[in-house]
Every structure is written in C-alpha cells, then in structure tokens.
Amino acid sequence: DTGVSQDPRHKITKRGQNVTFRCDPISEHNRLYWYRQTLGQGPEFLTYFQNEAQLEKSRLLSDRFSAERPKGSFSTLEIQRTEQGDSAMYLCASSEGQPPNYGYTFGSGTRLTVV
Amino acid sequence: DQQVKQNSPSLSVQEGRISILNCDYTNSMFDYFLWYKKYPAEGPTFLISISSIKDKNEDGRFTVFLNKSAKHLSLHIVPSQPGDSAVYFCAAKGGRDDKIIFGKGTRLHILP
C-alpha cells in the first residue's frame, strides 16, 4: 500500500473553468476527508465520507463544489466555475477512525492555481 | 471562529535546545488533541496525540502537555534536531464529531 494518492499534484486553470481532483485512499480505510489549505492557514475541513455516504459538508463548500465517493473507494472533488479565491492546496486524508491518530493519513495534496 | 489557536506563526530554536510550541482551544467538547508536522510539498503527518483524560503523553523526544482548565496544550521537543524544522499544526477532535480541526500552524526553525 502506497498511502493516500492525489492526482494531479498541480493544476493551473483559468477563472471560470471547471476542475476535478481525485483521491485514492488507503484501501482498508472506510473514511475519507477533504481539506483545503491556503497560505498561512491550517487545513480547513471541507467534507467527509464514510464509505460512499457523504456525512458532513462544511459551509466552506459552496454550491460550486461537489464531492463524490462512488462505491466507497476513490473520491473526486469538482469545482465548477473556478474563482481566484479557490486557489489553495486541496488535501485528502483517509482513516479507520481509531485512536491514537484516528487513522488520518494525508496525501501530498493537489495545488490549484486559478489565473 | 478559530477553535484551535496557535498564536506564534514562527519559532527559532538552537539545535540541541528544547522547542516548545503552544496551542490554545476554545471548545470544551474537544476530547482528543493531536500534533501534526508538515514539510513543504507534503501532506501533514501525525506526530503525537493526547486524550483529554490525561495531562501528559511522551514519545521519544516529543512530549505533549495538556492543561484542561486553561484550555492549553504544548508540544515539547528535546533535544531539537535540524530535521525538526517544519510547520507544526495543533489539532483537536470533539466527542462523536468525526472531523479534526486544525490550528494555523507554527513554523519551527532549528538553527545550527
């Protein structure tokens, strides 16, 4: 197992375009989380899944954002009509939900730049 | 509203000395606290954690102290090593809420 994989690592897009990111979690982890990190901030929670069910969405996740986890395996995060304020590092983590770390393993992130 | 606060954006410590990173929280429902370390171009990695029923947890060079009455925790690294230079995030989890809330981070520089 190679850990949590995120693709692409970097994405540059023009304002108004749609982008989609993919996250492949650790195979035995049933929980998957998306976070966003901007400069000078810590990771901010966006949404999480238990298997294929999306259990919580942050108010940061506007209508332009949608996340899916079909079949409880990989997940995608789509941003429609991107804005410059969407520029950030998008982090995915997966978890078994057990201490001491609650199993959080983060991927290396997808850095989005909206120009 | 910042529920987890790290008020020092950066800290510089001489190699071999003790590094102390501080964190305050506001939510009394938090029952589990964690520290993560992040290098550039990588995701955060788990370092050490502490349950709210304890006041100290130690793992090698890393010790986390929790003061519940003050809603304060700290991470001690001793002795500090060059590889400890990174951004450290304090984080917390509350009860049945499954998500982890992060502070803004403190950048630690270990000086030779």
Side-chain angles (χ1 to χ4, degrees):
Chain A
D1 197 339
T2 56
V4 177
S5 298
Q6 291 189 247
D7 184 70
R9 290 293 306 272
H10 303 274
K11 178 72 176 177
I12 300 174
T13 191
K14 291 184 178 179
R15 189 161 48 101
Q17 297 294 305
N18 298 346
V19 293
T20 300
F21 310 140
R22 176 177 171 127
C23 172
D24 286 273
I26 292 174
S27 55
E28 59 267 28
H29 286 179
N30 60 5
R31 300 177 193 198
L32 187 147
Y33 307 82
W34 285 98
Y35 282 77
R36 180 178 71 183
Q37 186 180 9
T38 53
L39 198 63
Q41 301 293 318
E44 297 172 297
F45 171 78
L46 293 179
T47 188
Y48 95 91
F49 293 83
Q50 181 156 323
N51 300 311
E52 66 273 12
Q54 188 173 17
L55 296 186
E56 187 174 348
K57 292 170 62 172
S58 162
R59 57 183 168 77
L60 293 175
L61 217 64
S62 76
D63 291 345
R64 296 183 298 104
F65 288 70
S66 62
E68 294 182 342
R69 192 182 182 197
K71 302 177 184 177
S73 56
F74 70 92
S75 175
T76 57
L77 178 68
E78 181 183 15
I79 309 174
Q80 297 182 327
R81 305 181 303 281
T82 52
E83 300 173 355
Q84 287 190 320
D86 297 331
S87 295
M89 174 74 81
Y90 290 84
L91 293 163
C92 176
S94 69
S95 163
E96 291 176 305
Q98 297 297 322
N101 176 31
Y102 285 86
Y104 266 57
T105 301
F106 280 91
S108 296
T110 293
R111 180 166 295 285
L112 173 67
T113 303
V114 182
V115 297
Chain B
D1 59 333
Q2 277 278 311
Q3 298 185 69
V4 179
K5 300 178 184 179
Q6 294 178 259
N7 293 320
S8 298
S10 67
L11 176 68
S12 295
V13 175
Q14 207 77 31
E15 181 179 354
R17 307 294 277 271
I18 184 171
S19 296
I20 301 176
L21 296 97
N22 292 302
C23 177
D24 297 293
Y25 62 96
T26 58
N27 189 342
S28 57
M29 297 300 292
F30 287 148
D31 60 0
Y32 210 80
F33 303 90
L34 310 96
W35 285 93
Y36 283 78
K37 177 178 179 179
K38 186 180 184 302
Y39 292 119
E42 296 181 10
T45 56
F46 170 72
L47 194 57
I48 192 169
S49 63
I50 188 167
S51 165
S52 61
I53 61 173
K54 297 188 175 181
D55 54 19
K56 178 182 174 182
N57 187 29
E58 190 172 353
D59 183 2
R61 296 186 299 114
F62 303 92
T63 303
V64 56
F65 295 92
L66 175 63
N67 182 335
K68 280 188 68 177
S69 61
K71 292 192 174 70
H72 178 84
L73 63 154
S74 61
L75 174 68
H76 293 211
I77 307 173
V78 55
S80 300
Q81 299 175 354
D84 296 330
S85 293
V87 177
Y88 289 78
F89 293 104
C90 176
K93 181 183 178 304
R96 288 161 54 183
D97 191 349
D98 201 46
K99 65 182 182 288
I100 291 176
I101 306 296
F102 289 82
K104 292 186 178 184
T106 296
R107 183 176 299 276
L108 177 64
H109 301 269
I110 304 302
L111 306 171

